[in-house]
Amino acid sequence: MRFTVSSNDLLKALTAVAGVVPSKATMPILECILFEAEDGALRLSATDLEISIVERLPIQLELQNGKEGARRVAVPARRLLETLRALPDLPVQFSADESFNVTLTTDQGHYKMVGFDGADYPALPELDEAHSLSVDAALLRRAIQKTAFAVSKDTLRPAMMGIFFQVQPEEGRVVATDGHRLVRLRLRELVSETPLEFIVPEKATSLVAKLAAQLDGTCTIRVDERHVAFEMGPVRIISRLIDEVYPNYEAVIPVENDRRLVVDRDAFLSAVKRVGLYASSTTNQVRLTLEPDHVEVAAEDIERASEAYERVPCAYDGEPMVIGFNAGYLTEVLGNVDSDEVVLEFSSPNRAGVVMPHEQAEGEDLLMLIMPVMLNTYA
């Protein structure tokens, strides 16, 4: 294998696939990126056996001493990437001989490293009998960003360690929960003729969102029983699905919350952040006192003899009530609402609160749920 390419172009392509290369792997070849010569293109692949990324880079193969050399070679990712990052943007000649010795040659220098036989690289999953749907890449990125913060990190609840996609012919739903918070985003443009339900690991969705931020256009999602593939431009991300039954999230969303509060999002969020600095390091709880014309945000840390409170103007149409929340959870929920005003609905101090934007974005319906924490006393 021999070709000449811009160092920046090669670095950009390698960076896209390097996100899944493990730093320390039980199989040394997994710490490599697989180079495969195709007709008019270079296929770059990397995997950690759970998630795989493939990218095609247009190249023109060259002969070396009348031979093609190795058409598949696994190249150590870290050394290759660090070499290219240290180079200015200039033409680089890449070559791999039949003994899998890899050489980079520029006008300024010569760099040699030992690769592995590409035939020993693990085979990537093939989704032959997959269902397909298409969605705007920017919309997919937004859906992931609005839900990823609520994904659970509890390994004892594996179903919650990913984002749940529930796609119907009429609309799609993207859901995440960790038991303390829940996000349900309904999208009119995320549809499939065949109803689909699948859970994608959080790491994979993070890589998809990062890729979607760099590429415009449409993302094709292909799903089979075990894997999902996200295809955008020249890049394909393949992930093993979480093979678990997702919790019945609809059952925990309150439908009879009759106390409604409307407040300026930025003012309320800023107050929660400031007051939360004075919350107990053990419980991290803030107390909300709801009144018709204002909400009082208060916190105290008895061990450090510190306390704080602020009043934020609001419109509240229910009976006065006191309810407590984890300051960090409440901050994250409010931070993921885009509208100028936010709506909070409650029923009682020991039942979940619902958070929604006052004005929903076109084509979507965002609902967040946050569980309260028990206070010593309730009004």
Side-chain angles (χ1 to χ4, degrees), residues 130-202:
H131 298 285
S132 297
L133 61 133
S134 296
V135 62
D136 182 77
L139 183 66
L140 178 61
R141 174 173 175 253
R142 175 176 170 80
I144 293 171
Q145 289 179 329
K146 290 298 174 188
T147 53
F149 75 93
V151 171
S152 176
K153 295 178 174 58
D154 185 356
T155 56
L156 297 178
R157 307 168 88 175
M160 296 184 181
M161 295 183 69
I163 295 178
F164 180 48
F165 288 80
Q166 192 175 37
V167 190
Q168 303 289 335
E170 302 82 17
E171 69 172 18
R173 298 184 178 191
V174 186
V175 182
T177 183
D178 61 1
H180 304 286
R181 302 159 294 178
L182 183 147
V183 185
R184 185 198 67 192
L185 178 61
R186 298 166 61 182
L187 300 167
R188 283 205 305 262
E189 296 182 19
L190 180 63
V191 294
S192 169
E193 292 182 3
T194 303
L196 300 171
E197 294 188 357
F198 52 96
I199 309 171
V200 185
E202 189 275 334

Side-chain angles (χ1 to χ4, degrees), residues 322-334:
V322 179
I323 188 169
F325 291 106
N326 179 291
Y329 294 161
L330 185 57
T331 297
E332 284 189 313
V333 166
L334 294 172

Side-chain angles (χ1 to χ4, degrees), residues 267-277 286 288 297 327 330-331 334:
F268 190 36
L269 175 58
S270 296
V272 172
K273 285 182 178 179
R274 288 189 292 265
V275 173
L277 299 173
V286 293
L288 305 184
V297 185
L330 185 57
T331 297
L334 294 172

Side-chain angles (χ1 to χ4, degrees), residues 38-60:
E38 296 182 341
D39 293 336
L42 174 68
R43 187 175 189 259
L44 301 169
S45 309
T47 184
D48 63 2
L49 301 181
E50 294 292 327
I51 303 170
S52 307
I53 304 181
V54 180
E55 177 162 5
R56 296 179 82 253
L57 178 66
I59 61 162
Q60 186 61 49

Side-chain angles (χ1 to χ4, degrees), residues 11 16 27 42 77 101 174 210 232 267 301 358 369 373:
L11 177 59
M27 299 169 58
L42 174 68
N101 295 307
V174 186
K210 186 181 297 184
M232 286 174 274
D301 187 346
H358 190 255
L369 178 148
V373 295

Side-chain angles (χ1 to χ4, degrees), residues 57-364:
L57 178 66
I59 61 162
Q60 186 61 49
L61 287 176
E62 306 165 6
L63 295 179
Q64 184 176 10
N65 299 323
K67 300 180 179 179
E68 289 187 345
R71 291 188 66 86
R72 300 180 71 197
V73 59
V75 185
R78 182 176 179 182
R79 175 166 289 178
L80 178 61
L81 284 164
E82 289 181 349
T83 301
L84 291 170
R85 289 188 183 116
L87 287 173
D89 186 16
L90 78 177
V92 173
Q93 185 184 80
F94 178 100
S95 63
D97 62 24
E98 295 177 349
S99 298
F100 311 108
N101 295 307
V102 176
T103 304
L104 300 180
T105 304
T106 71
D107 291 340
Q108 302 175 357
H110 178 88
Y111 314 90
K112 181 179 179 181
M113 65 191 86
V114 178
F116 295 82
D117 185 352
D120 296 332
Y121 200 82
L124 303 189
E126 295 292 340
L127 285 72
D128 296 326
E129 299 180 3
H131 298 285
S132 297
L133 61 133
S134 296
V135 62
D136 182 77
L139 183 66
L140 178 61
R141 174 173 175 253
R142 175 176 170 80
I144 293 171
Q145 289 179 329
K146 290 298 174 188
T147 53
F149 75 93
V151 171
S152 176
K153 295 178 174 58
D154 185 356
T155 56
L156 297 178
R157 307 168 88 175
M160 296 184 181
M161 295 183 69
I163 295 178
F164 180 48
F165 288 80
Q166 192 175 37
V167 190
Q168 303 289 335
E170 302 82 17
E171 69 172 18
R173 298 184 178 191
V174 186
V175 182
T177 183
D178 61 1
H180 304 286
R181 302 159 294 178
L182 183 147
V183 185
R184 185 198 67 192
L185 178 61
R186 298 166 61 182
L187 300 167
R188 283 205 305 262
E189 296 182 19
L190 180 63
V191 294
S192 169
E193 292 182 3
T194 303
L196 300 171
E197 294 188 357
F198 52 96
I199 309 171
V200 185
E202 189 275 334
K203 180 180 177 181
T205 60
S206 175
L207 292 168
V208 171
K210 186 181 297 184
L211 177 62
Q214 301 168 359
L215 299 173
D216 296 325
T218 300
C219 173
T220 299
I221 304 175
R222 302 177 65 226
V223 189
D224 68 10
E225 292 184 356
R226 295 187 178 182
H227 296 90
V228 59
F230 298 87
E231 300 173 359
M232 286 174 274
V235 184
R236 178 173 55 171
I237 298 176
I238 309 165
S239 172
R240 189 187 301 273
L241 295 174
I242 295 178
D243 186 17
E244 298 283 341
V245 177
Y246 205 75
N248 182 7
Y249 64 89
E250 291 285 359
V252 301
I253 298 177
V255 294
E256 297 180 353
N257 282 9
D258 55 355
R259 305 183 183 194
R260 190 171 190 265
L261 180 148
V262 181
V263 63
D264 182 88
R265 188 204 78 119
D266 290 342
F268 190 36
L269 175 58
S270 296
V272 172
K273 285 182 178 179
R274 288 189 292 265
V275 173
L277 299 173
Y278 293 80
S280 165
S281 57
T282 303
T283 63
N284 198 32
Q285 71 181 24
V286 293
R287 181 191 304 257
L288 305 184
T289 302
L290 311 181
E291 300 287 349
D293 60 350
H294 71 269
V295 54
E296 181 180 284
V297 185
E300 63 179 352
D301 187 346
I302 297 176
E303 293 182 358
R304 299 181 182 180
S306 61
E307 62 180 24
Y309 78 90
E310 288 191 31
R311 286 187 174 184
V312 182
C314 73
Y316 175 61
D317 63 5
E319 293 292 324
M321 185 176 77
V322 179
I323 188 169
F325 291 106
N326 179 291
Y329 294 161
L330 185 57
T331 297
E332 284 189 313
V333 166
L334 294 172
N336 280 278
V337 177
D338 292 335
S339 66
D340 293 337
E341 291 185 315
V342 61
V343 177
L344 294 91
E345 295 180 347
F346 309 96
S347 61
S348 65
N350 60 354
R351 293 188 177 273
V354 171
V355 181
M356 299 174 291
H358 190 255
E359 295 182 0
Q360 297 281 0
E362 185 177 355
E364 68 179 49

